Amino acid sequence: MATKKNPIREIVEKVSAERDADIILYNGGIFRPCDETLIRECISRGQTGRRKNVVPILVTGGGDPDAAYRIARCLQRHYEKFTLYVSGACKSAGTLIAIGAHELLISDHGELGPLDIQMAKKDEFFGSQSGLTVSTALEALESRAFQAVERMFIEIESNTGGILSVQTATDLASKTVVGLYAPIAGQIDPMHVGEAARALVIADAYGTRLNQHSGNLASPTALNQLYTSYPSHGFVIDREEARSLFKDVSEPNENELALVEALGAMGRRMNGAQAMPDPDKTVVFLTEPVQPEKPRKAANEEDRNGDEGDKSPTADAAA
């Protein structure tokens, strides 16, 4: 009786054959020790057990830039071509991994996000926030304060008929605005501001190194655009937008789309906790290791040895 084949296995084998690639599903937050799980599996397969190329399907809300860098570096190191399949949300540190890929496959459901690394929230054990949140808050506060000084100066000059000197009017406006905004500014932690700035510097440094290998960023300013040009952490960078940032962005073919359909929710929506992922459930190699072919010469020798082995002493004696 013939064994019924797994439909996911069938489509995995088709995509793997088309691209001569190992297929990996990574669904969850990008944190340690998930990077270790992926690196260990790549190493354990050895050169003969790995295929020439790799296609990870990455569904993530982001996470640790160090872990993201290690994952991307590992895939660059062990495979000739690294094609990232963005089938759903692939945010923040997921975008950092995308910079390391030679090619991006982005489906209609797929979306990258700005390269703003997630930081722990101040005075909270759990939870994270975008590194851009702090800088955006500072920029908004600075802009509002400047506008308030300007508006108040004009009102003072207008209401006094210009009797007051420019210096006096400026001092009055400045002191009033300082009194209004000082309590707000006083809540800003300089250390937290420094951490936010450092997080963006880390993203830039890792992105630069990964792109030196992949060469897939469309321009020298693309990396800077990824962490300064978008207003929110959740901003959608779809396939069309991605083509303005990356050189090689494609739409998945029929089999690649069918693979994500076969995976169901795991192929599009992040499964489980973002901050505390289970490595064994987060990183799954969908392709089995390549089995080495038996050398033809050795096989022929075994056949001959088998024939000679049939000539046992008993058989000779009978002859």
Side-chain angles (χ1 to χ4, degrees):
M1 184 176 181
T3 304
K4 188 176 180 181
K5 237 186 169 182
N6 186 324
I8 295 180
R9 177 64 56 201
E10 287 184 349
I11 193 63
V12 165
E13 289 175 358
K14 286 181 182 179
V15 174
S16 176
E18 286 175 351
R19 289 188 171 267
D20 189 13
D22 281 333
I23 313 297
I24 305 169
L25 175 63
Y26 190 114
N27 185 311
I30 300 172
F31 293 96
R32 299 174 186 262
C34 294
D35 56 335
E36 285 290 343
T37 300
L38 186 142
I39 292 169
R40 188 168 56 249
E41 179 64 22
C42 282
I43 293 172
S44 69
R45 293 188 169 214
Q47 288 189 349
T48 57
R50 290 190 298 267
R51 289 164 181 82
K52 182 179 176 182
N53 307 310
V54 66
V55 180
I57 302 167
L58 180 57
V59 183
T60 184
D64 177 8
D66 301 329
Y69 180 73
R70 279 164 55 82
I71 288 168
R73 270 294 203 222
C74 172
L75 297 176
Q76 288 181 342
R77 184 180 300 121
H78 292 296
Y79 295 94
E80 287 188 23
K81 185 174 182 181
F82 162 20
T83 300
L84 184 68
Y85 190 170
V86 182
S87 57
C90 179
K91 299 293 191 177
S92 192
T95 302
L96 184 59
I97 293 177
I99 293 172
H102 302 101
E103 178 188 7
L104 299 181
L105 293 178
I106 305 181
S107 73
D108 289 348
H109 298 276
E111 57 176 280
L112 297 170
L115 192 60
D116 53 328
I117 301 305
Q118 296 293 282
M119 304 164 47
K121 287 185 177 178
K122 183 182 176 184
D123 299 328
E124 291 188 24
F125 187 73
F126 293 107
S128 61
Q129 66 179 359
S130 163
L132 287 177
T133 300
V134 178
S135 59
T136 301
L138 283 174
E139 289 170 5
L141 184 61
E142 180 184 359
S143 176
R144 290 290 183 87
F146 179 81
Q147 291 171 11
V149 170
E150 185 179 44
R151 185 173 63 251
M152 200 161 290
F153 169 78
I154 293 172
E155 288 179 359
I156 290 172
E157 285 288 281
S158 176
N159 292 337
T160 60
I163 296 175
L164 297 178
S165 68
V166 172
Q167 181 65 45
T168 301
T170 302
D171 287 345
L172 282 172
S174 299
K175 288 176 181 178
T176 303
V177 170
V178 167
L180 288 171
Y181 282 90
I184 300 173
Q187 297 181 44
I188 298 174
D189 181 356
M191 292 296 290
H192 201 55
V193 173
E195 288 172 4
R198 182 171 175 270
L200 298 180
V201 170
I202 290 170
D204 182 90
Y206 279 154
T208 298
R209 286 162 173 76
L210 291 173
N211 188 59
Q212 285 173 350
H213 185 284
S214 68
N216 198 28
L217 286 176
S219 71
T221 62
L223 181 58
N224 182 268
Q225 286 176 254
L226 278 167
Y227 61 82
T228 61
S229 298
Y230 296 99
S232 71
H233 172 70
F235 197 93
V236 174
I237 299 177
D238 58 14
R239 187 168 58 244
E240 289 73 23
E241 178 79 10
R243 283 177 173 146
S244 70
L245 298 164
F246 296 91
K247 295 176 185 175
D248 197 343
V249 179
S250 304
E251 186 174 352
N253 65 28
E254 184 179 347
N255 284 330
E256 289 156 354
L257 290 171
L259 172 56
V260 170
E261 287 296 325
L263 291 170
M266 289 292 290
R268 292 208 184 103
R269 294 191 295 276
M270 199 176 77
N271 180 49
Q274 164 73 8
M276 302 289 286
D278 180 343
D280 293 330
K281 294 180 180 178
T282 300
V283 182
V284 180
F285 273 69
L286 300 178
T287 44
E288 297 294 331
V290 176
Q291 297 300 320
E293 292 184 8
K294 185 183 292 185
R296 185 175 298 276
K297 183 177 179 181
N300 291 339
E301 287 177 356
E302 284 182 8
D303 291 341
R304 287 198 298 272
N305 290 337
D307 292 340
E308 292 173 358
D310 290 339
K311 296 178 181 180
S312 63
T314 306
D316 292 339

